[in-house]
Amino acid sequence: MSRVIKFTKAGGPEVLEFVETTVPAPGPTEVRIKVKAIGINRAESMWRTDKYVEPVKFPAGLGYEAAGIVDAVGSDVTGFAVGDEVNVIPSFSMNQYFTYGEVITVPVYAVVTHPKSLSFAQAASVWMMFMTAYGALIEDAKVGKGDFVLVPAASSSVGLAAIQIANYAGATPIALTRTSAKKKQLLEAGAAHVIATEEVDLVQEVMRITDGKGARVVFEPVGGPNFPKLISALAFQGIVYIYGALSESVTPLPLLEMIAKMPTIKGYSIWLTSGDETRRKAAVKYILKGLESGALKPIIDRTFKFDDMAEVHRYLENNGQFGKIVVTM
């Protein structure tokens, strides 16, 4: 028997319910895992409210990331055995699989060997953040020396991952945050520059830092009324990757500025990378190398207990964290 978390209707954190269930034997290409830690993501909050990129099928589970120990393997599974320490990477629909449970079953393609240098809590935190940033900045934009990368919402887990990956690739990360309260933390986390957008002129600061050239890449999870400023802060023919929609306000497009700058604006999702076997393996190799070298480091804001999952979601939605929220068993 295992306790898993389900919800039967969209709503606030109070809709999350603990359900006692028998976990079936894994299918031919599945792995069953006894969970030690779960990484918490904004996507799961959006999923709970049925405001995600696909509609929820009720009753629903949720969760993309976990770390734990293999409990059973399917008949066609090779490379993993009972007792192995493993991680789950986001590469499936939450309508099919989920990680909020004491014992879970996931597809083998979503399972990777646990990095020996990390605790279970650390390992549960790294895959969504680093693979999301890797796919846009390395796989697509191919950032490198001489490139400036603007990182809005920089204190989020993915924002911090983008800072680290930009540094790892030789680019210069510019962290954006609303006030100076987290400036010291962001500099310590690797940001070359920090701009408090409610305290100074964003565009002027970016142009000062880049000697008037602007940033080649913006890695944007917010949208909303400040979006035109990001276009103004771009270099000529720069790229904006939109991977989130934290702002609930309308996102205007500055048409004349876009004609002048000729930017590329791309909707972006981790699934471009994690949903393709070749790309996924390349990303895992890159991230593991970065973790082993110390260039990439998990940053955990706070850990909670599994019993407190409703409180976890309330904390997530307060937007005050610096780094990843993790739940431990």
Side-chain angles (χ1 to χ4, degrees):
M1 300 295 289
S2 167
R3 286 191 308 158
V4 300
I5 293 177
K6 297 270 190 175
F7 62 111
T8 58
K9 61 181 180 180
E14 67 278 0
V15 303
L16 299 177
E17 300 177 9
F18 288 91
V19 179
E20 192 85 18
T21 184
T22 300
V23 183
T29 58
E30 294 177 333
V31 177
R32 197 171 68 191
I33 299 168
K34 185 176 181 180
V35 174
K36 296 294 185 182
I38 302 166
I40 306 299
N41 298 287
R42 173 65 59 173
E44 292 140 23
S45 169
M46 296 173 71
W47 182 252
R48 192 200 70 236
T49 56
D50 202 8
K51 295 178 180 178
Y52 196 45
V53 293
E54 63 175 313
V56 178
K57 296 177 183 177
F58 298 104
L62 68 173
Y64 275 135
E65 293 179 284
I69 299 171
V70 174
D71 179 62
V73 298
S75 58
D76 294 342
V77 171
T78 58
F80 297 104
V82 173
D84 285 352
E85 296 182 350
V86 295
N87 303 164
V88 180
I89 60 175
S91 52
F92 47 79
S93 166
M94 286 186 283
N95 277 322
Q96 296 176 299
Y97 297 97
F98 58 88
T99 62
Y100 284 21
E102 294 172 331
V103 179
I104 60 172
T105 301
V106 294
V108 66
Y109 62 76
V111 180
V112 295
T113 300
H114 177 82
K116 296 186 185 304
S117 62
L118 302 184
S119 67
F120 283 121
Q122 289 173 323
S125 77
V126 297
W127 294 105
M128 176 70 89
M129 59 188 280
F130 285 121
M131 196 170 286
T132 301
Y134 163 89
L137 302 186
I138 303 302
E139 190 175 73
D140 197 80
K142 297 177 174 60
V143 300
K145 188 176 181 180
D147 289 332
F148 289 90
V149 179
L150 278 190
V151 185
S155 57
S156 70
S157 59
V158 177
L160 292 168
I163 289 170
Q164 293 186 38
I165 281 184
N167 279 325
Y168 190 28
T172 302
I174 303 173
L176 304 187
T177 184
R178 286 176 294 176
T179 72
S180 296
K182 297 177 181 178
K183 182 174 182 177
K184 183 173 183 290
Q185 285 177 288
L186 287 166
L187 291 170
E188 290 172 349
H193 306 273
V194 177
I195 299 175
T197 57
E198 292 180 0
E199 299 173 7
V200 298
D201 187 295
L202 166 62
V203 179
Q204 285 184 8
E205 278 296 291
V206 171
M207 291 304 167
R208 180 187 65 80
I209 291 166
T210 63
D211 291 327
K213 297 175 183 176
R216 185 168 85 83
V217 175
V218 177
F219 193 48
E220 159 69 333
V222 182
N226 287 324
F227 186 76
K229 294 180 182 179
L230 298 179
I231 300 298
S232 297
L234 269 182
F236 181 66
Q237 293 187 321
I239 310 171
V240 179
Y241 294 94
I242 301 174
Y243 72 94
L246 293 176
S247 174
E248 296 182 357
S249 301
V250 172
T251 301
L253 289 179
L255 297 184
L256 290 177
E257 188 75 3
M258 291 175 67
I259 292 169
K261 288 289 180 80
M262 295 177 62
T264 298
I265 300 177
K266 293 186 175 185
Y268 171 75
S269 167
I270 188 177
W271 310 120
L272 282 174
T273 301
S274 67
D276 178 271
E277 183 178 4
T278 301
R279 291 179 174 182
R280 184 171 62 247
K281 287 180 177 178
V284 169
K285 182 178 179 181
Y286 183 97
I287 293 165
L288 286 175
K289 185 177 178 181
L291 290 169
E292 289 165 5
S293 71
L296 305 181
K297 300 175 183 178
I299 299 178
I300 295 176
D301 172 82
R302 184 174 170 186
T303 58
F304 289 82
K305 296 298 183 183
F306 186 55
D307 288 340
D308 299 327
M309 191 62 81
E311 181 60 30
V312 171
H313 274 233
R314 291 187 187 98
Y315 182 74
L316 172 72
E317 291 171 350
N318 283 336
N319 298 318
Q321 69 268 22
F322 187 90
K324 192 82 167 189
I325 302 167
V326 176
V327 166
T328 57
M329 299 298 189

